[in-house]
Amino acid sequence: MSAAKVDFNDRLLSLGLARVAEQAALASASLVGRGDEKAADQAAVNAMREQLNLLDIAGVVVIGEGERDEAPMLYIGEEVGTGEGPGVDIALDPLEGTTLTAKDMPNALTVIAMGPRGSMLHAPDVYMDKLAIGPGFPEGVVNLDMSPRERVEALAKAKGCEPADITVCILERPRHEAMIAEVRETGASIRLITDGDVAGVMHCAESEETGIDMYMGQGGAPEGVLAAAALKCMGGQIFGRLLFRNDDERGRAAKAGITDLNRVYARDEMVTADVIFAATGVTGGSLLPRIKREPGWVETTTLLMRSKTGSVRRMTYRTPMWPHDNA
């Protein structure tokens, strides 16, 4: 499959991308609360791949389910689409929050972003130290070299409020215990999440709706690129620094073409061109409602965004529950 010399038409491709996210969510809907993470993830992967291959794109998965030897489908480097269209980079998480889905906990989403070929950081599957805030602040009001306390105090000053008025979203992990303690010492509150840090970062962009002002902590680097794509559309700042625990992980970075292992990536360095982004709610939460099922029908809500225009659409899709072809 070779990338045709066709311009990236984000407007024409956006509805197709929304359909990809919708169908992945619908495929996992029957597995919400069933306790089977792998089955839910596989259902979403199968549906997302099937829908991507219907699009007139010459797509390459740059953020996916893992390296080729670890993931049979939607692996990093896999070519998707009909091949008859623009060359594009695709970042995806067919089910962000497999555990959330299995336990029917909030904020499980299907997530996908698309941009012109070569526009997204090929982040290896390692940890990334992340820091994100919403739109409307001067560049660099917070940064990764600040302590957690300094970040809270700087954001409070920029907002014209007290640290006690700031809410920070952090993944609940043992590695974050010291960070959590330091943030709480400032008087700020913390919303701990068990999984789903793409959604966690996106919450910063709509703080009036979600109540979250800042995201910080270590999570997956691929999710960091997806979150950067979302914030490129919604507005906001995100910074990421890759973290390496061993030579194997440093080797993954080299394979991805990364030579400066200490580099801090800003949003527009992780995603260098205009992108489209789609996310569909699976279990519901502050960003999107859950999939609704009623006799004979199922309904999803999808967030569809284009960074080029700054447009944000919330789209409701209602369909019969019996089998249908490429709805």
Side-chain angles (χ1 to χ4, degrees):
M1 189 187 297
S2 62
K5 298 296 183 184
V6 181
D7 287 339
F8 176 66
N9 191 324
D10 64 322
R11 184 171 178 270
L12 289 179
L13 289 169
S14 60
L15 288 177
L17 202 71
R19 187 173 289 112
V20 173
E22 285 168 355
Q23 294 300 316
L26 287 169
S28 61
S30 63
L31 291 153
V32 172
R34 308 291 183 188
D36 193 336
E37 298 177 21
K38 289 185 178 179
D41 189 48
Q42 192 61 58
V45 168
N46 293 347
M48 188 168 273
R49 184 173 186 262
E50 180 181 342
Q51 290 296 316
L52 277 170
N53 283 330
L54 297 174
L55 297 182
D56 285 330
I57 56 172
V60 175
V61 176
V62 298
I63 299 292
E65 287 289 276
E67 305 288 340
R68 184 170 187 167
D69 57 351
E70 298 170 357
M73 283 193 234
L74 297 180
Y75 56 82
I76 297 166
E78 182 174 356
E79 297 181 350
V80 292
T82 65
E84 303 297 321
V88 298
D89 280 357
I90 296 169
L92 53 84
D93 193 337
L95 188 58
E96 207 234 349
T98 55
T99 302
L100 300 177
T101 303
K103 295 181 178 181
D104 196 1
M105 295 170 67
N107 290 318
L109 308 170
T110 59
V111 182
I112 184 164
M114 183 187 295
R117 180 70 54 83
S119 61
M120 294 184 189
L121 175 67
H122 291 218
D125 192 8
V126 299
Y127 278 133
M128 176 184 277
D129 193 15
K130 305 171 199 176
L131 174 63
I133 57 174
F137 298 102
E139 281 297 317
V141 66
V142 294
N143 64 65
L144 279 175
D145 291 327
M146 289 178 169
S147 68
R149 171 182 290 278
E150 289 170 337
R151 296 169 187 174
V152 170
E153 291 174 346
L155 184 60
K157 183 178 179 181
K159 284 193 74 171
C161 67
E162 295 298 318
D165 299 318
I166 298 293
T167 298
V168 183
C169 182
I170 301 177
L171 268 174
E172 188 174 18
R173 298 288 188 271
R175 63 180 178 270
H176 291 150
E177 286 176 0
M179 174 183 288
I180 289 167
E182 186 171 337
V183 168
R184 284 188 172 142
E185 285 173 3
T186 68
S189 61
I190 295 174
R191 186 175 304 177
L192 292 171
I193 56 173
T194 58
D195 292 281
D197 64 346
V198 175
V201 170
M202 290 172 67
H203 278 68
C204 298
E206 297 188 335
S207 60
E208 290 184 4
E209 297 289 329
T210 64
I212 291 174
D213 301 290
M214 183 188 305
Y215 178 94
M216 68 173 83
Q218 299 172 12
E223 288 83 359
V225 177
L226 270 166
L231 287 193
K232 198 172 182 79
C233 298
M234 303 174 85
Q237 301 176 37
I238 181 170
F239 304 95
R241 182 191 286 121
L242 298 174
L243 302 172
F244 304 98
R245 296 173 293 182
N246 51 50
D247 288 340
D248 174 63
E249 292 189 351
R250 283 182 278 274
R252 290 188 179 204
K255 186 178 175 183
I258 293 168
T259 54
D260 183 354
L261 302 187
N262 296 310
R263 179 176 174 179
V264 173
Y265 296 90
R267 184 194 72 188
D268 293 344
E269 293 169 320
M270 287 190 261
V271 182
T272 61
D274 281 317
V275 293
I276 46 180
F277 180 97
T280 301
V282 176
T283 59
S286 309
L287 288 169
L288 287 161
R290 68 184 294 116
I291 295 172
K292 298 174 185 173
R293 304 177 71 175
E294 54 186 86
W297 296 88
V298 62
E299 183 177 291
T300 63
T301 302
T302 298
L303 187 67
L304 176 63
M305 307 186 289
R306 295 167 61 204
S307 68
K308 186 175 183 178
T309 59
S311 62
V312 178
R313 287 184 171 90
R314 279 181 167 78
M315 305 166 56
T316 300
Y317 172 68
R318 195 166 187 260
T319 184
M321 286 183 69
W322 52 82
H324 45 285
D325 295 327
N326 304 324

